[in-house]
Amino acid sequence: MTGILVFILRALLAVSLLAFLAWAFITLWRDMQLQIQMLNARRVPPITLILEDEPGSQREFSSPEIIIGRDPSCDLQLTDGTSSSRHARLSFHHSQWWVEDLQSTNGTFLNEERIYTATVIISGDMLRFGQVVIHVAILPQL
């Protein structure tokens, strides 16, 4: 009788061990899928910058940071003398696009209001760097 009891206890222990391992793998799989979804949500939505004075001149960016100015190393190079060499920065964080003035001489304007700190921008906004006017179009994330 004790042999049968020991066998049943061993079988129950083996089944409970397998159930625990299955639960652990399912939990890890769900956590991994959640992490994948969170990483996909962090993708930078493309932003299009359209120069007002130059018809047909638009640039699309998908990097999380864009430097705008006259300097040749800038991502969007301006030719107007009223803009600084490193005039402003557009950056994507906290799931939003932000514009920040980089201590430019003539200032950075968002919808004709001068900005002094990093400010959220949305599609349809107008940015002005010196005398250069740029319209913003942000494509929705998929």
Side-chain angles (χ1 to χ4, degrees):
M1 185 76 172
T2 58
I4 293 175
L5 185 61
V6 170
F7 176 75
I8 292 173
L9 288 174
R10 283 178 139 179
L12 287 174
L13 183 63
V15 168
S16 64
L17 179 63
L18 289 174
F20 172 76
L21 288 175
W23 173 79
F25 282 120
I26 289 171
T27 302
L28 288 173
W29 176 260
R30 287 182 184 164
D31 189 46
M32 187 174 66
Q33 293 301 318
L34 182 63
Q35 291 294 325
I36 289 170
Q37 288 176 353
M38 287 173 57
L39 287 174
N40 286 339
R42 289 187 189 168
R43 286 192 187 143
V44 177
I47 185 170
T48 304
L49 303 176
I50 306 161
L51 285 102
E52 187 175 83
D53 292 339
E54 300 175 29
S57 65
Q58 66 181 29
R59 296 267 318 265
E60 184 174 311
F61 297 93
S62 58
S63 61
E65 183 176 274
I66 304 162
I67 303 294
I68 299 171
R70 287 189 335 233
D71 193 297
S73 66
C74 290
D75 299 308
L76 180 61
Q77 190 175 358
L78 304 175
T79 56
D80 189 73
T82 60
S83 58
S84 299
S85 59
R86 292 178 53 86
H87 199 99
R89 172 187 301 126
L90 300 179
S91 58
F92 184 79
H93 53 88
H94 303 299
S95 300
Q96 297 179 19
W97 277 101
W98 297 71
V99 62
E100 177 184 6
D101 186 63
L102 298 177
Q103 299 177 349
S104 61
T105 305
N106 293 322
T108 298
F109 294 81
L110 172 61
N111 299 325
E112 294 305 323
E113 285 190 39
R114 188 168 185 166
I115 60 168
Y116 297 97
T117 61
T119 307
V120 174
I121 58 174
I122 59 173
S123 190
D125 278 345
M126 183 186 70
L127 298 170
R128 185 163 56 88
F129 311 107
Q131 296 298 318
V132 178
V133 176
I134 295 177
H135 295 277
V136 177
I138 301 171
L139 299 176
Q141 273 184 302
L142 299 176

